[in-house]
Amino acid sequence: VARFREQRILRRILATPLAPWRFLAAQVGARLLLALVQAALITATGVFLFGARIYGNVGWLFALAALGNLVFLNLGFAVAGRAPNPDAAAGVGNVVSLPMMFLSGIFFPTDTLPAVMQRVVEYLPLTPLLEAMRKVALDGLSITATGPELLRLAAWVVVSFLLASRLFRFSEAR
């Protein structure tokens, strides 16, 4: 998206009858579909090639993946909406995503973090997503058992959407 702005493609879209929200919805939809296809391939590889076992409902896992991807797509649009060029967008994206990956429980349990950090990482969007996915996939629980995590994810969807809608622009800042 930052490259589209840099190449003035977004500005040209404003001159067409296509409503900007439709363009953005198509971008989000295409990226969400791609993310779900990737999730399906990764899941199938884990199950069929490496013998991983999913104890819960796979459909709920994909629903959680879609919800999580909405949050991260919104954050990506917020970053791309303000970054002056694609390189800056990539850098800011890394500043946002790398700490989240290392602190949210992907590589090591969050209970090994200092108490203050444990409280902070509870509010990162990746933490409730991982907790909910683990409850469904590993513990075999229903999606209803992930209520607190779903509420935090839903709050992140709203907050990230509002952030993206405030920060995204179709043309360069003057």
Side-chain angles (χ1 to χ4, degrees):
V1 173
R3 188 168 321 283
F4 285 170
R5 185 178 330 92
E6 183 180 57
Q7 295 171 347
R8 300 184 194 273
I9 292 170
L10 296 178
R11 229 175 149 164
R12 289 183 210 136
I13 288 173
L14 288 175
T16 70
L18 179 66
W21 72 268
R22 287 183 189 259
F23 172 78
L24 291 175
Q27 291 295 314
V28 168
R31 285 170 172 74
L32 186 59
L33 180 64
L34 179 63
L36 291 175
V37 168
Q38 289 173 337
L41 289 173
I42 291 168
T43 302
T45 300
V47 168
F48 296 117
L49 292 181
F50 297 107
R53 174 112 197 243
I54 296 174
Y55 295 96
N57 186 321
V58 175
W60 289 129
L61 281 178
F62 283 102
L64 288 167
L67 190 61
N69 272 289
L70 279 176
V71 172
F72 299 116
L73 283 168
N74 286 338
L75 292 175
F77 273 96
V79 167
R82 283 297 173 188
N85 58 54
D87 293 331
V92 174
N94 284 334
V95 166
V96 171
S97 65
L98 285 177
M100 204 178 328
M101 284 192 307
F102 286 102
L103 297 175
S104 292
I106 291 177
F107 300 114
F108 55 87
T110 57
D111 57 8
T112 62
L113 294 171
V116 173
M117 288 302 295
Q118 287 181 33
R119 294 293 296 157
V120 170
V121 299
E122 284 181 34
Y123 297 101
L124 297 175
L126 192 53
T127 303
L129 176 63
L130 289 173
E131 289 172 1
M133 291 182 107
R134 285 178 179 141
K135 283 181 179 180
V136 171
L138 301 178
D139 299 336
L141 298 177
S142 168
I143 193 77
T144 58
T146 66
E149 291 84 5
L150 285 176
L151 285 174
R152 285 188 285 165
L153 276 173
W156 266 106
V157 168
V158 171
V159 167
S160 63
F161 176 78
L162 293 173
L163 187 64
S165 63
R166 289 273 294 156
L167 294 177
F168 188 82
R169 53 191 163 69
F170 270 77
S171 59
E172 304 85 14
R174 294 181 198 261

